[in-house]
Structures are given as structure tokens and as C-alpha cells.
Amino acid sequence: MHDLLKRQQPQIGLPGTRAAGTRTINGSSTLYHNLASYKATHTFTNVKWDTPSCCYPTSGTLSTVLTGSRTGNVSMAFTTTCGQANFIDTDATSTPITLTQCN
């Protein structure tokens, strides 16, 4: 069977707990899309869950570098408002977004 996606072992640290409001993520992971021939390298920078009552990060940034058949940089900056972030697309357009999935 042909794998469409291949993942590299992530280099991500997850200290603390979300329930205590002390979790911070730093590190990177890489996803390879074999069918579409591109690679996405994700970097988590100080992505924090500061508020135990909010299941979303409330600060920090997730940046992605696309190489191969798709190229460019995208990022998402989490805001202090629970469930809100700013998405910056490959053309540098910034769009406020509402996050909809939470665990």
C-alpha cells in the first residue's frame, strides 16, 4: 500500500499540564505529503495554555514552512482570547480565526 503521508519523528517538548494552565509547547515536526510532493515543517514557539478553563492555547505561534510542489510560509499566532488566533497565509494576508475543535 502506498502511503500518502509520511511523518518524521517530532522533536517537541510538552512540559506541564493543560488542566493546571502550565503547558508550553516548543519544538518542530515535519510532514511529508508523498502524493502531492511537498513537505511541511511545523515549528511551535512558546505555545502556551495559560488558563485552565480554556482548552485552546492563549499565546505563542505555530509557523509552517512549505517546500516542494507547494512553497511558502504560513503561521498562526494564538491570542489571549480563548479560541481565537490570527492566521497569516503565504501571501502575508492576516485573518482572525475562531478555533472549533478542542480536547
Side-chain angles (χ1 to χ4, degrees):
M1 179 176 206
H2 178 64
D3 290 335
L4 297 179
L5 300 174
K6 175 177 79 170
R7 283 183 263 178
Q8 180 177 323
Q9 184 66 25
Q11 303 297 315
I12 298 175
L14 299 167
T17 64
R18 184 183 64 80
T22 59
R23 176 173 284 161
T24 301
I25 298 177
N26 283 291
S28 63
S29 68
T30 302
L31 178 113
Y32 298 88
H33 194 300
N34 294 333
L35 188 61
S37 300
Y38 73 89
K39 176 174 79 169
T41 302
H42 311 288
T43 302
F44 297 82
T45 305
N46 294 320
V47 176
K48 296 181 183 180
W49 283 255
D50 293 327
T51 308
S53 63
C54 180
C55 63
Y56 297 103
T58 52
S59 63
T61 304
L62 170 59
S63 303
T64 301
V65 177
L66 303 168
T67 56
S69 66
R70 296 184 184 173
T71 60
N73 299 310
V74 296
S75 65
M76 186 164 37
F78 298 98
T79 70
T80 57
T81 301
C82 183
Q84 300 295 308
N86 290 313
F87 179 76
I88 301 174
D89 209 340
T90 55
D91 65 358
T93 302
S94 179
T95 305
I97 60 171
T98 299
L99 306 170
T100 61
Q101 297 293 319
C102 202
N103 289 318

